[in-house]
Amino acid sequence: RAARGSRTPVGPGESRGDLTTARPLRPVGSGRPRLVGSGRGSVVLIRADDVAIEGFDIDGRGGGSLMRDSSGVHVAGRRARLGDLRIEGALFGVYLREADGAEVLRCRVRGIPGKTPGEKGSGIHLWNTRGFRLVGNDIAGVRDGLYVQSSPDGLITGNVARDLRYGGEII
């Protein structure tokens, strides 16, 4: 019901089910609202340009499919801004697919405990995304910390990745 591009405050509490946005919105969490996915796919699907989401806890419930890129947040829109998110239990933490100009800032990503690296996705995965910014993220327990494929002209700084197949501190 929010107007296009409007900043929408969301208070504390828990919401269940997957969320898809197909228009520019700016939901801002206050008090760490928690989004709990269905466990069958991505918890948040961004399918519009100019979407910003910040201040949420996101739980993928350990489900989904690597073949479908199931993620805490899956972005296929330009200029998305993801800030101060805490993502856990998702196969991929954040997946940027043809998401030119995307920013992932100060997010914490934790993988699914008990799975082997081959059963997990990346903390932050980019595919065919130009002009991105990955700044100040903390990633642990995933397959690969940052996976950047066919994605030029980006900035990666101040991120930490640990307890994974490939990674370390990335400055």
Side-chain angles (χ1 to χ4, degrees):
R1 294 180 285 181
R4 294 175 65 86
S6 67
R7 183 179 189 277
T8 307
V10 178
E14 183 173 285
S15 297
R16 293 192 168 270
D18 302 328
L19 169 69
T20 300
T21 180
R23 60 188 179 144
L25 295 174
R26 294 179 50 213
V28 177
S30 172
R32 306 293 323 168
R34 184 173 175 80
L35 304 175
V36 180
S38 67
R40 293 185 300 274
S42 295
V43 181
V44 178
L45 288 160
I46 296 175
R47 296 296 181 260
D49 296 342
D50 304 308
V51 173
I53 181 171
E54 61 185 87
F56 286 84
D57 290 350
I58 298 170
D59 183 353
R61 296 186 51 213
S65 165
L66 289 172
M67 299 302 291
R68 291 188 358 213
D69 307 328
S70 295
S71 311
V73 181
H74 191 283
V75 180
R78 295 174 297 171
R79 298 176 303 277
R81 184 176 194 280
L82 312 178
D84 298 312
L85 303 176
R86 294 192 302 212
I87 301 168
E88 64 182 31
L91 292 175
F92 292 90
V94 173
Y95 198 108
L96 304 176
R97 181 180 183 87
E98 298 178 318
D100 293 351
E103 298 180 311
V104 183
L105 313 170
R106 301 170 313 281
C107 293
R108 188 184 85 185
V109 177
R110 297 294 180 265
I112 304 169
K115 288 193 180 252
T116 67
E119 297 173 307
K120 300 177 185 183
S122 307
I124 301 174
H125 189 106
L126 289 85
W127 181 78
N128 203 24
T129 294
R130 180 179 294 278
F132 61 89
R133 292 182 64 224
L134 308 178
V135 179
N137 299 291
D138 181 348
I139 302 164
V142 296
R143 178 174 51 203
D144 303 321
L146 304 173
Y147 189 93
V148 181
Q149 181 181 6
S150 303
S151 298
D153 306 321
L155 171 70
I156 300 173
T157 187
N159 300 283
V160 175
R162 63 186 174 283
D163 301 325
L164 34 94
R165 181 177 70 172
Y166 298 121
E169 187 167 330
I170 301 167
I171 303 294

